[in-house]
Amino acid sequence: MTSLLCFRARPATAVALLAFALTAAAAPRLASAQCTFVPPTASFTPGAYRCTDGAGYLWDIQGDRGDINEGTRDAYDGFGNVCVTTNLALTTQCNTVTETFSVPAASAMTLTTVTGGSEITLTSDSLGPMFPRTLQVTRRVFVPHGGTAGYLRYLDVIENRGATPVTIKVRAGTTDTSGTLGCDGSCRVVETDSGRTTLGAGQLWFVNDDASLTGGDPAIAMVMDNLGKDAVSTMGRGFGSFATSDSYYWEYEPVTIPAGGRAAYLHFQVQRDTPADAATVARTLMSPTAADLAGIDLALQRDIRNFQLAPPPNCGDGILQTAEGEVCDDGNTISEDACTRFCLPNVCGDSFVDPAAEECDDGNRVDEDDCTNACDLAVCGDGIVATFEECDEGALNSDTDPDACRATIGGGCVAAFCTDGVLDGDEACDDGNDVDDDACSNACIIAFCGDGLVQPTLGEECDDGNSIDGDACTAACLDATCGDGILHIGIEECDDGNDDDGDSCTNACTAATCGDGIISGVEECDDGAANSDTAPDACRTTCNDAGCGDDVLDTGEACDDGNVDADDACNPICQTSTCGDGFVYASGGETCDDGDTNGAIVGGCNVDCSGLVPEPPDMGPMDMGPPPAPDMGTMTADMGGGT
């Protein structure tokens, strides 16, 4: 193992790197004899601790982020960062200022010798989306020296120094565009706790190595979880264009840290020459021993979110062993009483229900789930909006006040809604039912023709949601029918709104036509299918009565030559042309024909239709003598008198 230390994660000239390496080689070793401090240089300002674990593997811990610069044989390239974010939907790289842990270059790292190893603490970084940043993050990096224990332990402690709760998620590993593994493009996952060689949510540990599997860079195991309170929720490789094979990250489920509270996250890094050896250590670290937790007091252990830790060795024997970290010991290993199986007082938020003081305890500081931060079961009316509630205004919940959070209606703690029977500010009506075809719709809109809902009580037969009069539902919300005076497009040919079957539109709303069996308009007749242009006395296909001149011999006709020409053998009234019929049959030798007056009128047609009746000759004046005296007969005058 060479003593030359090259910091590839930071830019430096070759001269500066050589000077830095010489400084590192000359730095005095600490009392623990396993960690050497490498002071800052002009080209590398953070400084570093160069530590060797009990298995002989190198951990060069850098002073700004606490990441591993190279490890043994270039196993790392600045890997092992931590990001704390309030953006629970973050899928891109972390913001290097407000989310990624990084302390000023001038800040001092402190080295503490603890039982079995050394712990390096990096001073706190203030994170958060707004100033002042109230999330204080401290990194504690432990390297064991005793025996053959070989790993590096990260403990990231997040404190909320603000006055209100903060909900965060924690990302570890590659958090931005720096911090990768030394295997570069040949990195691959070779073993996981689930047996897969792919990464995903719920992963507890995995082993990564380069393509050769033996020699070259050591195999690296990463132990992230053992089914603690906050499981690994997301796992992958890099972000966007930085999603390379040598960048890995994982995220834990979100946690709400109350004002003044804290949460801690533990994970381990392991270097071994073979993947099988690295996997063996990873399995062991799934159940951390007291030695693996050296330097972490019980109170802080209780705040570790992603690991379920073992109790002190003598917890439950009824004897208070304060040296082992016991705060109480009630002689049992039951956690559901005043003293838990970890020999710590049962407090709200520790996941253990104390029946004497708690209704529930879900082990988190989320006040909006089924169990509140006071360890009371969430109920409608407690003033806390739980995940199963839409609202909760406590004593202000009401089933009668407009726009209030409902107390019981709809199951309680639901926002005021249409059909709750209360007229809220955005409603035109609310009849408290889910009947959609009455005067108030289920959208709390006063029913009207054209709203798309059929209201029979309002006289509607239909409602297609429009005001078009030519479809199946009229603009008056009545079923379109023949005779309503509205043309039903595509169904009716016409609709004149009356029951007169003899006009241009029939009572079947079809346009009147000859042959439909209905006498309409200018039609003289219409026998439908019986119309004929050849049958005697039939209604013709033109819907005209049978008549003279139609070339069909009908009743009363002596002939019918298809015309009403008088100068042929069949006269215009379809009788055989004869003198005296009133029609001049010139072709038959007639020169005139006055019908019944033939021969009776001077100057008129003579009786044989051959000419005109001549005037009588002029005889001149005739002396007839005086006219005879009138015959007065015998007259007896009554002269009056007498007796």
Side-chain angles (χ1 to χ4, degrees), residues 362-378:
D362 53 10
N364 65 46
R365 301 305 300 171
V366 178
D367 210 19
E368 293 78 21
D369 55 12
D370 293 349
C371 187
T372 72
N373 285 349
C375 287
D376 297 321
L377 290 172

Side-chain angles (χ1 to χ4, degrees), residues 194-280:
S194 62
R196 304 190 308 263
T197 55
T198 56
L199 301 179
Q203 210 79 60
L204 302 179
W205 59 264
F206 73 94
V207 176
N208 178 85
D209 203 356
D210 56 21
S212 67
L213 297 184
T214 58
D217 299 343
I220 295 174
M222 303 181 196
V223 184
M224 302 86 62
D225 189 8
N226 78 343
L227 300 179
K229 297 174 185 177
D230 296 345
V232 171
S233 61
T234 304
M235 195 162 194
R237 287 182 165 179
F239 313 97
S241 62
F242 196 61
T244 57
S245 66
D246 58 351
S247 57
Y248 296 85
Y249 77 97
W250 58 92
E251 296 174 354
Y252 297 103
E253 293 173 349
V255 60
T256 298
I257 305 178
R262 67 182 177 182
Y265 290 86
L266 177 72
H267 79 266
F268 297 92
Q269 295 283 322
V270 178
Q271 297 180 77
R272 286 296 185 273
D273 287 345
T274 67
D277 289 344
T280 298

Side-chain angles (χ1 to χ4, degrees), residues 103-452:
V103 296
S107 297
M109 296 185 292
T110 59
L111 177 71
T112 304
T113 300
V114 299
T115 302
S118 299
E119 185 171 67
I120 299 160
T121 302
L122 282 76
T123 54
S124 298
D125 185 16
S126 299
L127 300 179
M130 299 179 66
F131 187 83
R133 298 190 174 102
T134 58
L135 295 175
Q136 300 297 307
V137 182
T138 300
R139 297 208 85 176
R140 295 170 57 170
V141 189
F142 172 76
V143 180
H145 304 315
T148 59
Y151 57 80
L152 179 140
R153 182 192 77 200
Y154 278 109
L155 182 66
D156 295 307
V157 183
I158 303 116
E159 299 177 80
N160 179 11
R161 298 185 180 179
T164 58
V166 178
T167 301
I168 62 167
K169 72 175 178 179
V170 175
R171 177 186 292 172
T174 303
T175 62
D176 48 34
T177 55
S178 63
T180 59
L181 300 180
C183 47
D184 300 327
S186 65
C187 298
R188 58 173 172 160
V189 176
V190 295
E191 190 167 352
T192 67
D193 61 282
S194 62
R196 304 190 308 263
T197 55
T198 56
L199 301 179
Q203 210 79 60
L204 302 179
W205 59 264
F206 73 94
V207 176
N208 178 85
D209 203 356
D210 56 21
S212 67
L213 297 184
T214 58
D217 299 343
I220 295 174
M222 303 181 196
V223 184
M224 302 86 62
D225 189 8
N226 78 343
L227 300 179
K229 297 174 185 177
D230 296 345
V232 171
S233 61
T234 304
M235 195 162 194
R237 287 182 165 179
F239 313 97
S241 62
F242 196 61
T244 57
S245 66
D246 58 351
S247 57
Y248 296 85
Y249 77 97
W250 58 92
E251 296 174 354
Y252 297 103
E253 293 173 349
V255 60
T256 298
I257 305 178
R262 67 182 177 182
Y265 290 86
L266 177 72
H267 79 266
F268 297 92
Q269 295 283 322
V270 178
Q271 297 180 77
R272 286 296 185 273
D273 287 345
T274 67
D277 289 344
T280 298
V281 180
R283 293 188 185 94
T284 301
L285 291 172
M286 289 286 291
S287 301
T289 65
D292 298 327
L293 301 174
I296 307 176
D297 61 56
L298 284 181
L300 185 52
Q301 287 184 28
R302 189 168 62 188
D303 289 329
I304 293 175
R305 303 290 308 181
N306 60 320
F307 269 79
Q308 181 68 58
L309 304 178
N314 295 306
C315 181
D317 61 5
I319 302 172
L320 186 62
Q321 309 281 349
T322 56
E324 295 180 2
E326 295 182 356
V327 178
C328 60
D329 195 322
D330 56 4
N332 64 54
T333 57
I334 299 172
S335 290
E336 286 72 27
D337 55 14
C339 187
T340 72
R341 66 184 181 88
F342 294 100
C343 284
L344 295 171
N346 193 329
V347 297
C348 181
D350 61 6
S351 300
F352 305 120
V353 178
D354 180 1
E358 301 172 336
E359 292 180 343
C360 58
D361 194 323
D362 53 10
N364 65 46
R365 301 305 300 171
V366 178
D367 210 19
E368 293 78 21
D369 55 12
D370 293 349
C371 187
T372 72
N373 285 349
C375 287
D376 297 321
L377 290 172
V379 295
C380 181
D382 60 12
I384 300 171
V385 182
T387 53
F388 59 86
E389 298 175 333
E390 294 180 2
C391 57
D392 196 326
E393 298 171 356
L396 296 179
N397 290 352
S398 173
D399 288 337
T400 57
D401 292 342
D403 303 307
C405 184
R406 299 297 172 228
T408 61
I409 296 176
C413 282
V414 295
F417 60 96
C418 178
T419 73
D420 63 8
V422 181
L423 188 63
D424 299 308
D426 58 348
E427 298 173 342
C429 60
D430 194 323
D431 54 9
N433 65 48
D434 58 359
V435 178
D436 213 18
D437 58 0
D438 56 10
C440 185
S441 75
N442 287 350
C444 285
I445 298 172
I446 297 173
F448 62 93
C449 179
D451 60 8

